[in-house]
Amino acid sequence: MRRTASPLSLILLGLGAFLLVLAPMLAWYVEPRAKRTPVDIDTVTVFKGKGSYFDTGKIKTVHDKNLTITRQVRGDVADSDSDRAVWDVVTSVDPDKSLPAASPHDALQWTKERWVTDRKTNRPVHCCDEEPYFEGEAYLKFPFDVEKRSYRWWDNTLGATVPLTYRGTKKIQGYEGYRFTATVKATKTGTRQVPGRMVGQPRKSQVIADEYYANHGIELVADRRTGRIIYAAIGPRKTLRAPGSDKDATVLLDSERIAFTPATQKAQVKLADDDSSRLELVGETLPLGAGVLGGVLAVAGVVLVARGRRRDDGANGPGRHGESAEPESPNPDASPTALQPTTM
């Protein structure tokens, strides 16, 4: 009687086939769907540096003062969905005397924004009470799988995109990311009604002055896999000019460099490392491991099945010492009357 393959060989063969199917599914199906901008985000980043600002109490620009930029990003889960992420962003700029700011009116500068992006590409999605209307490839983060190329970064103060240039890699708190830099030339961004003396026209009580913005330098370091910004530094300069003038009359805000605090750097690096590790696990480690292990188990199962068949064939082969190959078959030399009763 022919025996079937052993249960162990079938188990190994089945498990190996399963892992071989699972490996490409993890790499080509699961991992791309894991690369989605989170919607339940709630983070605070803090920049610190020194600079100048216009003190409304003293009615003059004061210099070499501590400046702090605090940005809180909260995801609007209710308005977000599988395709878009809706984030509410509050940013305040403060000198030491207004920290902690009890209300937006205490801050030197305070803004509230609503950003809506495609969760897969990080491109802007213009819906859901978006404010401001923005363009570009990156703002609060870069797209997943950051490339070694230039990106169009949205500068909200400028109200336009800024080309960021790739500058190689840089380690932040021991964690390596891609570094990008840019500068912004003085550009008119609007107008403001101010006393004439603020723009060198003391004989006029009020003047519609021109607002200008420049940036001494933007430096961003992004995690390659997730696009999360692990380090940021900016050098904002905001000034007033008399109508039609090409010279700054009053400095509203000026700093050569305001950058992420060490605490913010550590927090951003931890988040980037955790998210990147999970994506690497799903997209690389598990598929590779499943593919290798599946191949080994499948081969082992095939070998055991083949060995089992060879043993079966040997057991059912021709008999020894003149035994019939089919011992249970009738003897061809026996007479019919010896095998069957007569009907006579």
Side-chain angles (χ1 to χ4, degrees):
M1 181 177 179
R2 182 177 294 275
R3 295 185 301 169
T4 60
S6 69
L8 176 61
S9 64
L10 295 179
I11 291 173
L12 292 178
L13 188 58
L15 184 57
F18 170 75
L19 292 175
L20 287 175
V21 173
L22 179 63
M25 285 186 63
L26 287 171
W28 300 336
Y29 184 83
V30 177
E31 193 253 3
R33 283 158 179 76
K35 290 181 178 179
R36 293 291 187 271
T37 300
V39 299
D40 57 349
I41 188 172
D42 189 353
T43 63
V44 176
T45 54
V46 181
F47 300 68
K48 283 188 177 292
K50 285 187 173 292
S52 305
Y53 70 93
F54 187 80
D55 190 323
T56 55
K58 298 180 179 179
I59 317 180
K60 68 175 184 179
T61 300
V62 294
H63 305 281
D64 196 29
K65 300 296 182 181
N66 292 327
L67 295 171
T68 301
I69 300 176
T70 306
R71 173 175 291 151
Q72 182 173 37
V73 180
R74 284 183 175 175
D76 189 329
V77 178
D79 282 354
S80 301
D81 57 31
S82 59
D83 296 320
R84 69 191 181 205
V86 182
W87 289 358
D88 293 319
V89 185
V90 174
T91 306
S92 65
V93 181
D94 296 276
D96 284 347
K97 69 177 184 179
S98 64
L99 286 175
S103 74
H105 302 289
D106 295 335
L108 181 64
Q109 179 179 313
W110 188 89
T111 58
K112 184 177 181 180
E113 303 153 353
R114 188 172 177 85
W115 299 89
V116 188
T117 58
D118 184 292
R119 296 185 63 190
K120 180 180 179 181
T121 66
N122 203 53
R123 298 277 184 165
V125 177
H126 306 300
C127 72
C128 316
D129 299 320
E130 168 201 34
E131 179 62 36
Y133 182 98
F134 73 104
E135 295 292 351
E137 302 170 276
Y139 172 62
L140 296 171
K141 70 181 293 293
F142 282 75
F144 290 95
D145 298 321
V146 183
E147 301 176 31
K148 298 177 180 180
R149 63 172 177 85
S150 295
Y151 280 85
R152 292 183 297 117
W153 176 264
W154 177 261
D155 188 321
N156 194 41
T157 305
L158 179 64
T161 58
V162 175
L164 287 173
T165 302
Y166 174 72
R167 301 293 187 185
T169 60
K170 182 175 182 178
K171 285 191 175 182
I172 304 298
Q173 302 293 329
Y175 189 86
E176 187 173 88
Y178 286 178
R179 178 174 176 262
F180 299 85
T181 64
T183 58
V184 179
K185 295 181 179 180
T187 305
K188 182 179 176 179
T189 56
T191 59
R192 180 187 298 191
Q193 183 173 325
V194 297
R197 65 177 180 272
M198 289 186 65
V199 291
Q201 297 181 359
R203 295 183 180 182
K204 296 181 179 180
S205 60
Q206 297 291 319
V207 173
I208 304 298
D210 294 334
E211 289 187 332
Y212 273 75
Y213 163 75
N215 204 304
H216 299 290
I218 300 171
E219 180 183 8
L220 302 170
V221 181
D223 175 49
R224 179 188 64 82
R225 195 181 302 273
T226 66
R228 184 183 292 274
I229 296 172
I230 59 176
Y231 179 81
I234 56 176
R237 178 177 172 84
K238 298 181 67 176
T239 60
L240 293 177
R241 296 181 182 182
S245 175
D246 59 357
K247 294 182 179 180
D248 295 331
T250 297
V251 173
L252 300 177
L253 177 67
D254 188 24
S255 176
E256 290 287 339
R257 191 174 186 84
I258 303 178
F260 272 1
T261 63
T264 293
Q265 294 173 36
K266 291 179 181 178
Q268 292 297 101
V269 164
K270 184 179 186 305
L271 290 171
D273 190 21
D274 290 345
D275 291 344
S276 182
S277 297
R278 282 193 287 269
L279 289 176
E280 183 180 13
L281 180 67
V282 174
E284 296 179 15
T285 306
L286 287 180
L288 179 61
V292 172
L293 181 58
V296 172
L297 293 178
V299 170
V302 169
V303 170
L304 289 178
V305 169
R307 286 180 176 177
R309 286 179 176 175
R310 286 197 295 270
R311 285 196 298 269
D312 290 345
D313 291 342
N316 295 322
R320 296 179 181 177
H321 304 295
E323 293 179 357
S324 172
E326 294 181 7
E328 296 182 1
S329 63
N331 188 341
D333 296 331
S335 65
T337 57
L339 296 174
Q340 299 177 357
T342 181
T343 59
M344 294 298 291

